[in-house]
Amino acid sequence: MTPTDLWRLAWRGLTRRRVRTFLTALGITVAVASMVIFLSLGEGIRKVFVTELGGIGPDIQVSLTPLSQGLAMHPNLPQKTVQDLQALAPDLGIQTVTPVIMAVRGSLDPTQSAVLYGLPAENGGIGAVFPNSKVAQGRTLQASDNPAGAAVVGAKAAKNLNLGLGSRLNLNRRSSVKVVGVLAPESGLVDNFIFLPLTTLQASEGAQDRVSLVAVKLNNPREARAVAGRISERLNLEAATQSDFLSFVERALRISDAVRFGISLIALVVGGLAVANTVMMGVFERTREFATLRAIGARPSFVRALVLTESLLLSLVGGVCGVLLGLLGIAGVNLYTQDLAGIDAAALTPRLTLLALGISFLLGLLSGLLPARSASRLNITEALGRV
């Protein structure tokens, strides 16, 4: 008998019990879809950082906080670090040194959250750190903004917070600034920033003469790792390159992938048990059929292969449907994150698709082993004697 005949017989065996087969396949579909959606979040965020965020920002970030402890937000770095770095500029090939202070304005509504990014309004302003940023409305920060304060808002932040030219942005109960510019859409990072003069945000945060980090641009970005090492040695500070940042993100995403996969594994185990139960019930209900096959010359290996094929077919159908359902879930997630932050936070990559189908195949194989063994070891005489 050919493999085609084997798959045909297996399909016929499953379609005899349509309701049970449908419910089992549905369970696998939901389990695989949940795994695909959970893991797609890591794939999507990884893609955002590599394609959108990897080529912007400073060549080196100098701070007191190592990347292993997260991004530098707390303003704990003395501002005199700027002068220390400028003194090293001729020797290390440093082009610009920009002090930065960052703060997060959180909210129960994610759309109302914002990242405040303070940097010197003079000497290039926003362009000193984000050279690709362009103003769509109004103007960028200027030296004259230092006394009274001003804000230039990213495209997505302006939409979410309903800010436009002339709007007032409250920094705290005692101070507010006027929006003087709105940036053109650029990336998921810059679009969600609100840029302020350094002194304005320092005053708002009570962090005079302190910054979160110092952004360093080099004459030759290819020397970033070597220069970062020399900065760390001479100033006893943390100096991280763009590649270090992306490596940190990759490690963090791998950990989160493992957690999400562990959560998905619970649903997958339940789905596997459902497959095993369905196939085992089918073996008990078709005892006489298998005994008849054995009586007319079928080998135990054929009966075993038939039951395993049914299990694999059931799991693969559930796996394919799970990937398709997961694709719909990913579209829903991206619809929300596009509206929230202007990024696609989830992505169905080829390796994720292969992983989902591979796990479905393995699930079917393992779930069918015990039923297949039971079917191949039937006692022909006893089975045919049953009513």
Side-chain angles (χ1 to χ4, degrees), residues 10-356:
W11 179 255
R12 183 181 299 175
L14 290 174
T15 53
R16 289 179 185 175
R17 307 174 302 280
R18 295 182 179 179
V19 175
R20 186 190 303 165
T21 298
F22 171 77
L23 292 177
T24 304
L26 182 61
I28 301 171
T29 297
V30 172
V32 172
S34 65
M35 181 194 71
V36 168
I37 294 173
F38 284 160
L39 295 184
S40 71
L41 293 173
E43 295 292 320
I45 294 173
R46 185 178 288 108
K47 188 175 181 181
V48 167
F49 273 98
V50 172
T51 61
E52 291 193 32
L53 309 184
I56 64 176
D59 297 319
I60 299 174
Q61 289 187 174
V62 180
S63 66
L64 284 177
T65 307
L67 279 177
S68 59
Q69 297 181 16
L71 297 179
M73 287 287 187
H74 185 66
N76 56 4
L77 183 67
Q79 192 166 340
K80 69 180 184 65
T81 305
V82 175
Q83 287 73 39
D84 296 336
L85 287 168
Q86 288 173 339
L88 297 176
D91 185 30
L92 300 183
I94 295 175
Q95 185 179 95
T96 61
V97 178
T98 307
V100 172
I101 181 171
M102 300 177 68
V104 176
R105 289 291 181 267
S107 172
L108 294 176
D109 182 359
T111 62
Q112 299 302 303
S113 299
V115 176
L116 306 182
Y117 198 100
L119 74 176
E122 60 280 354
N123 299 327
I126 300 172
V129 181
F130 303 99
N132 296 327
S133 60
K134 296 180 180 178
V135 177
Q137 302 176 42
R139 60 175 176 82
T140 188
L141 296 176
Q142 299 175 355
S144 59
D145 293 323
N146 281 317
V152 175
V153 187
K156 185 57 65 174
K159 177 183 177 183
N160 290 342
L161 299 176
N162 195 27
L163 295 174
L165 291 180
S167 299
R168 301 297 300 185
L169 174 66
N170 293 323
L171 300 180
N172 53 44
R173 290 187 177 184
R174 295 175 296 176
S175 63
S176 64
V177 293
K178 181 180 178 180
V179 176
V180 298
V182 177
L183 297 179
E186 180 185 343
S187 75
L189 178 65
V190 179
D191 288 351
N192 291 279
F193 279 4
I194 297 177
F195 294 94
L196 304 161
L198 180 70
T199 53
T200 300
L201 192 52
Q202 282 178 323
S204 172
E205 295 297 307
Q208 284 80 2
D209 298 323
R210 287 179 286 127
V211 295
S212 301
L213 59 92
V214 177
V216 176
K217 282 283 188 179
L218 302 178
N219 295 323
N220 185 0
R222 294 182 180 180
E223 298 178 352
R225 187 171 295 279
V227 173
R230 296 174 68 180
I231 290 175
S232 296
E233 291 176 2
R234 295 193 183 187
L235 302 181
N236 193 26
L237 295 171
E238 297 290 335
T241 65
Q242 285 186 355
S243 60
D244 292 332
F245 177 70
L246 292 176
S247 297
F248 165 74
V249 171
E250 179 65 27
R251 289 195 300 271
L253 288 176
R254 286 179 182 175
I255 294 173
S256 64
D257 285 344
V259 173
R260 288 192 295 270
F261 181 75
I263 296 173
S264 303
L265 192 60
I266 298 174
L268 291 171
V269 169
V270 173
L273 292 175
V275 172
N277 178 70
T278 297
V279 177
M280 183 65 80
M281 289 294 294
V283 169
F284 287 144
E285 293 172 356
R286 297 158 62 197
T287 299
R288 290 178 63 86
E289 177 184 333
F290 291 139
T292 301
L293 287 174
R294 291 287 311 282
I296 62 176
R299 294 179 175 273
S301 59
F302 173 80
V303 176
R304 186 165 52 247
L306 178 60
V307 175
L308 274 176
T309 301
E310 289 185 8
S311 178
L312 289 172
L313 186 58
L314 185 58
S315 295
L316 288 176
V317 168
V320 172
C321 293
V323 170
L324 295 177
L325 182 61
L327 192 58
L328 291 177
I330 289 171
V333 170
N334 287 338
L335 188 64
Y336 174 73
T337 56
Q338 275 290 342
D339 182 64
L340 177 65
I343 62 172
D344 289 335
L348 182 62
T349 58
R351 71 172 182 175
L352 180 54
T353 303
L354 292 176
L355 176 64

